[in-house]
Amino acid sequence: MIKRIAFIFFVIFIASSVNAQVANLNEAQIQARSENKLILVKFSGSDWCGPCIMLKKSIYDTQEFISFANEKLILLNADFPRQKKNQLSKEQQEWNDKLAEKYNPDGLFPFMALLNADGNVLYTWDGYNKKLAVSDYIYEINQHIK
């Protein structure tokens, strides 16, 4: 019984740490430097932006992308929900606003920016193209990995 409970906690811990996202750019840069990874900032409106929701479901939530991201990327989600029940903490909203000012000043959704550990933009995507597969996103990101 104790082994079973320990195993369940272990599985929960591993599941929660897989594809963990960081909360702000400073955390992302520190982690990217220490793990030699790139940073992928995703600007989304998780509760109102249809293309954002489709991108998440068809690309970001796939096992293929999750496995790739765990190995190569630090994920930073800059969400801008509209529904009151989904509002972010004041601190998180301020971090997201600063990210938007710097990397997404035109307010495009969805919008992704691939950054190096210094915060320099390597590549950007905007919108959602349902003709692109997970492998297309992975291919494009791999073009910027040294």
Side-chain angles (χ1 to χ4, degrees):
M1 181 69 168
I2 292 175
K3 285 183 181 179
R4 188 175 195 186
I5 291 171
F7 176 75
I8 291 170
F9 279 113
F10 175 75
V11 169
I12 291 170
F13 172 76
I14 294 299
S16 67
S17 64
V18 170
N19 203 24
Q21 295 187 17
V22 294
N24 63 58
L25 185 58
N26 292 338
E27 288 179 25
Q29 289 178 298
I30 290 167
Q31 194 172 343
R33 281 187 191 102
S34 71
E35 298 178 21
N36 196 31
K37 294 181 177 182
L38 296 179
I39 302 164
L40 182 62
V41 183
K42 179 180 71 161
F43 292 89
S44 67
S46 64
D47 63 3
W48 60 270
C49 173
C52 299
I53 295 166
M54 290 303 302
L55 181 67
K56 182 178 184 314
K57 286 181 182 177
S58 64
I59 304 297
Y60 285 96
D61 287 350
T62 65
Q63 190 56 51
E64 182 181 3
F65 190 83
I66 290 168
S67 295
F68 172 76
N70 284 336
E71 186 178 324
K72 304 284 185 177
L73 302 172
I74 304 301
L75 301 177
L76 179 55
N77 186 32
D79 193 20
F80 292 85
R82 290 186 180 164
Q83 295 179 19
K84 190 172 186 167
K85 68 179 182 178
N86 298 327
Q87 284 186 333
L88 306 173
S89 70
K90 183 179 179 186
E91 183 180 40
Q92 186 63 57
Q93 189 62 59
E94 288 173 0
W95 285 330
N96 290 359
D97 290 342
K98 286 178 186 176
L99 280 171
E101 286 174 23
K102 185 170 184 173
Y103 297 109
N104 189 10
D106 295 329
L108 302 172
F109 291 94
F111 183 80
M112 289 80 54
L114 184 65
L115 314 175
N116 65 16
D118 294 324
N120 298 320
V121 176
L122 303 175
Y123 192 76
T124 62
W125 305 259
D126 66 273
Y128 168 65
N129 182 345
K130 62 184 175 187
K131 293 179 183 176
L132 296 178
V134 175
S135 59
D136 296 318
Y137 285 87
I138 291 173
Y139 175 81
E140 198 60 53
I141 292 168
N142 273 326
Q143 298 304 303
H144 302 282
I145 294 174
K146 295 177 181 166

